[in-house]
Amino acid sequence: MPFELPALPYDYAALEPTIDEATMKLHHDKHHQAYVTNANAALEKHPELSSKSAEELISDLAAVPEDIRGPIRNNGGGHVNHTMFWEIMKPNGGGEPTGAIGEQITKDFGAFEDFKKKFNEAGVKQFGSGWAFLVFKGGKLEIVSKPNQDSPLSDGLYPILGNDVWEHAYYLKYNNRRPDYLAAWWSVVNWEEVNKRFEKAKK
Ligand code: MN3
């Protein structure tokens, strides 16, 4: 199987109380696993692609054969997005952004509070399921929202961080209160990992 579900880098309960254990179990073991399983099933029809990483496939969807392009976009995208998502969170995370990304946020958005407000708005306004992402475009940070499991990689942009606004990411604890989930999520962000991703985005 070309793709595998990565182990969570912490316990299911480690992000409590921001993200509850039951949500993490379902989200990782069921939802992310389903994206991996379905992406692998699609690739069985085109074994010549199985040496490519999910990021490579999503970055060049035009090169994916048409009969599996939709399934790869959705499930390969889901795999890439969630792999990032687990890594950019950690227990006792949060606080002000550190390092180069902290400086760039100040430069492009002003105060961290103003940046969070704009990012959370992008998440709230995403109709239905999707993601809010931070990307680096033309020397500046930019906030983009995407439907479903679409990735900025498909636009040639590397996601520095992203928050999942599918209902499965928050509904058990926050019910319909997506803005509350978005506001609380910053307290589990792993800024060291986000800084590593910012370095990649600059290349
Ligand atoms: Mn999800």
Side-chain angles (χ1 to χ4, degrees), residues 168-179:
H168 68 227
Y170 62 86
Y171 213 87
L172 287 182
K173 180 179 169 85
Y174 297 89
N175 308 134
N176 59 326
R177 300 183 303 278
R178 188 190 286 186

Side-chain angles (χ1 to χ4, degrees), residues 175-188:
N175 308 134
N176 59 326
R177 300 183 303 278
R178 188 190 286 186
D180 292 357
Y181 159 70
L182 281 156
W185 180 74
W186 297 101
S187 67
V188 293

Side-chain angles (χ1 to χ4, degrees), residues 27 82 131 149 164 166 168:
H27 201 173
H82 288 84
W131 291 73
Q149 295 297 350
D164 188 344
W166 282 59
H168 68 227

Side-chain angles (χ1 to χ4, degrees), residues 109-150:
F109 295 97
F112 180 46
E113 288 302 318
D114 294 333
F115 164 68
K116 282 198 289 189
K117 194 170 166 232
K118 285 199 177 105
F119 189 93
N120 293 349
E121 271 171 15
V124 168
K125 284 179 184 164
Q126 171 55 42
F127 183 76
S129 298
W131 291 73
F133 292 104
L134 182 67
V135 297
F136 195 59
K137 185 180 178 185
K140 281 188 79 171
L141 293 171
E142 204 170 289
I143 295 162
V144 293
S145 57
K146 290 275 176 192
N148 306 314
Q149 295 297 350
D150 286 358

Side-chain angles (χ1 to χ4, degrees), residues 25-89:
K25 271 190 178 155
L26 279 169
H27 201 173
H28 178 268
D29 294 6
K30 303 297 180 189
H31 291 275
H32 190 172
Q33 179 65 64
Y35 298 124
V36 169
T37 301
N38 293 333
N40 284 333
L43 281 186
E44 276 178 21
K45 293 173 197 155
H46 291 278
E48 74 276 11
L49 296 177
S50 55
S51 62
K52 293 203 182 247
S53 70
E55 288 193 350
E56 284 174 311
L57 292 171
I58 293 302
S59 299
D60 190 7
L61 282 171
V64 176
E66 205 176 350
D67 63 321
I68 63 163
R69 195 175 298 149
I72 290 297
R73 179 180 180 166
N74 292 332
N75 296 290
H79 179 40
V80 167
N81 287 340
H82 288 84
T83 300
M84 169 201 70
F85 190 56
W86 314 131
E87 288 173 357
I88 60 160
M89 299 191 291

